[in-house]
């Protein structure tokens, strides 16, 4: 669920002037060739998800990350100096972001420039091409897709930071924890589940991203046919709105109801759970409904270990 433009013209002009001066200074003088040789030894060519080849540091020391999956970088011990901390209000981030500068959302150019990053990773590259171009004037900027399932995100991070072995170890670790969780749940073959998300007055059905990436797949719940057809099989679709009349079409054998932490969402969720249509769903009649905070709509590495322990507890608190 996933802008902020409006940067004053004089501010933009000042920043770009400063960038031009920095660029000119770094490329002038009689030692340019020596600098270039040193640079080549410490960088490599990386092909981005947009097909562009850019030169990035082999071992970046000052990384700015713009996006919602900062926890992945923290778990992998990436040296993050700045991020948009709006996404770190959840319980599993507590005490984890000390020393990281909040660069604003989706990233204030002056603040980022002051951090002197040697690499910027931008998850919002599609949302504001102008700002993405401005980031690339500060430091090499990699477009990044945070919506990928965690295993794919971590593999890509391994390539970027030269940590392929560590990435593989983390993926194996979480896959083992996932299997152990589902072994305890003892699901029957074909047992389905649906993730509903209450955001204000709107109810969504989620696909196989975020919490969906945790509950579906190998060893996990089967996907209800309507979720598969209307979300997962549709390119670029991660969720759809759903009306009460269509609840029975999407509802699986187990229902995870994620509720945003605000009064409107909680009120709407309460009304939904008391509605006559909701009461007709087989999962509801069997007590297979688990209402939890929307902070758990994630497959971020920082949350996963805790999530594998939390999810069985939700299902026991019928």
């Amino acid at each position: 669920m996933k802008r902020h433009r409006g940067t004053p013209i004089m501010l933009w002009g000042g920043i770009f002037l400063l960038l031009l001066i920095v660029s000119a200074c770094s490329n002038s003088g009689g030692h340019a060739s020596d600098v270039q040789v040193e640079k080549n030894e410490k960088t490599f060519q990386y092909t981005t998800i947009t097909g562009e080849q850019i030169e990035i540091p082999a071992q970046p020391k000052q990384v700015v990350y713009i996006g919602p999956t900062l926890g992945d970088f923290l778990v992998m011990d990436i040296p993050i100096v700045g991020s948009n901390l709006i996404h770190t209000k959840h319980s599993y981030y507590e005490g984890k972001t000390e020393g990281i500068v909040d660069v604003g959302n989706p990233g204030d150019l002056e603040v980022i420039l002051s951090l002197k990053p040697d690499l910027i990773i931008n998850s919002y590259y599609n949302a504001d091409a102008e700002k993405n171009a401005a980031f690339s004037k500060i430091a090499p900027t990699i477009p990044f897709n945070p919506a990928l399932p965690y295993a794919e995100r971590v593999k890509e991070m391994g390539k970027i930071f030269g940590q392929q072995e560590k990435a593989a170890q983390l993926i194996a670790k979480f896959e083992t924890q996932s299997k152990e969780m589902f072994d305890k749940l003892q699901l029957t073959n074909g047992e389905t589940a649906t993730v509903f998300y209450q955001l204000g007055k709107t109810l969504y059905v989620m696909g196989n991203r975020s919490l969906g990436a945790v509950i579906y797949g190998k060893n996990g719940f089967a996907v209800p046919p309507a979720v598969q057809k209307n979300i997962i099989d549709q390119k670029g679709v991660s969720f759809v709105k759903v009306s009460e009349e269509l609840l029975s079409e999407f509802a699986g054998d187990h229902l995870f109801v994620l509720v945003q932490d605000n009064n409107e969402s909680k009120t709407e969720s309460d009304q939904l759970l008391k509605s006559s249509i909701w009461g007709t769903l087989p999962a509801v009649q069997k007590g297979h409904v688990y209402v939890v905070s929307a902070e758990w709509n994630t497959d971020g590495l920082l949350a996963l270990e805790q999530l594998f322990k939390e999810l069985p507890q939700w299902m026991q608190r019928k």
Side-chain angles (χ1 to χ4, degrees):
M1 315 241 152
K2 287 198 181 178
R3 243 165 247 250
H4 174 75
R5 279 178 186 255
T7 308
I9 294 175
M10 290 185 67
L11 175 59
W12 277 82
I15 291 171
F16 279 109
L17 179 59
L18 178 57
L19 291 171
L20 288 172
I21 293 171
V22 171
S23 176
C25 290
S26 64
N27 286 311
S28 63
H31 301 287
S33 59
D34 295 337
V35 172
Q36 187 63 44
V37 169
E38 183 181 348
K39 181 180 179 184
N40 285 339
E41 291 174 351
K42 296 182 178 180
T43 63
F44 70 97
Q45 292 292 320
Y46 171 77
T47 304
T48 72
I49 57 176
T50 58
E52 179 187 7
Q53 274 211 335
I54 61 173
E55 190 171 47
I56 65 173
Q59 293 183 315
K61 305 297 185 186
Q62 302 268 109
V63 180
V64 168
Y65 171 66
I66 309 294
T69 54
L70 175 61
D72 293 354
F73 295 82
L74 300 180
V75 170
M76 291 189 70
D77 294 322
I78 306 301
I80 300 293
V81 295
S83 187
N84 52 335
L85 298 184
I86 190 173
H87 300 292
T88 63
K89 310 300 183 185
H90 306 315
S91 60
Y92 39 84
Y93 274 103
E94 188 173 349
K96 304 290 187 182
T97 61
E98 293 177 9
I100 298 175
V101 174
D102 189 351
V103 301
N105 193 48
D108 181 277
L109 295 176
E110 271 196 314
V111 175
I112 293 174
L113 185 61
S114 72
L115 295 174
K116 301 179 181 178
D118 50 8
L119 184 66
I120 299 173
I121 297 180
N122 183 20
S123 295
Y124 300 154
Y125 64 98
N126 269 333
D128 192 334
E130 187 177 330
K131 178 152 279 191
N132 190 71
F135 290 157
S136 68
K137 300 287 185 181
I138 299 174
T141 300
I142 295 176
F144 191 77
N145 183 2
L148 293 172
Y150 75 88
E152 294 182 42
R153 290 199 314 272
V154 173
K155 284 180 183 176
E156 199 62 30
M157 291 169 64
K159 294 177 186 176
I160 294 170
F161 296 101
Q163 296 190 19
Q164 291 91 335
E165 184 175 346
K166 185 173 185 177
Q169 290 172 349
L170 280 171
I171 293 168
K173 169 189 171 182
F174 288 123
E175 286 181 346
T176 297
Q177 291 180 350
S178 175
K179 184 179 185 306
E180 289 173 350
M181 177 185 71
F182 284 116
D183 285 347
K184 291 178 184 176
L185 293 178
Q186 297 182 326
L187 303 179
T188 60
N189 188 37
E191 200 167 351
T192 60
T194 306
V195 179
F196 290 108
Y197 191 111
Q198 186 73 58
L199 178 60
K201 293 182 178 297
T202 306
L203 183 67
Y204 296 93
V205 180
M206 312 302 294
N208 60 345
R209 297 290 185 264
S210 301
L211 181 60
V214 177
I215 70 168
Y216 297 136
K218 189 177 180 181
N219 305 312
F221 291 99
V223 181
V227 174
Q228 184 72 45
K229 177 182 177 182
N230 294 286
I231 305 175
I232 297 175
D233 289 345
Q234 302 299 317
K235 186 176 180 180
V237 177
S238 298
F239 54 86
V240 294
K241 288 183 184 180
V242 63
S243 63
E244 284 194 18
E245 292 74 22
L246 293 176
L247 285 173
S248 60
E249 181 180 342
F250 286 92
D253 299 317
H254 296 262
L255 308 179
F256 295 88
V257 183
L258 304 170
V259 184
Q260 271 286 341
D261 188 19
N262 58 65
N263 290 334
E264 184 178 50
S265 298
K266 291 176 180 177
T267 299
E268 290 295 324
S269 177
D270 288 342
Q271 291 177 358
L272 170 69
L273 300 179
K274 293 174 183 177
S275 69
S276 57
I277 294 179
W278 183 261
T280 64
L281 301 177
V284 177
Q285 295 172 353
K286 293 177 182 178
H288 294 171
V289 178
Y290 323 110
V291 183
V292 296
S293 168
E295 72 171 336
W296 294 109
N297 188 40
T298 180
D299 66 339
L301 299 193
L302 197 60
L304 269 186
E305 193 156 0
Q306 192 174 344
L307 183 54
F308 289 137
K309 297 174 184 176
E310 289 278 342
L311 193 145
Q313 294 178 20
W314 302 343
M315 297 180 69
Q316 291 168 6
R317 296 195 301 262
K318 295 179 182 179

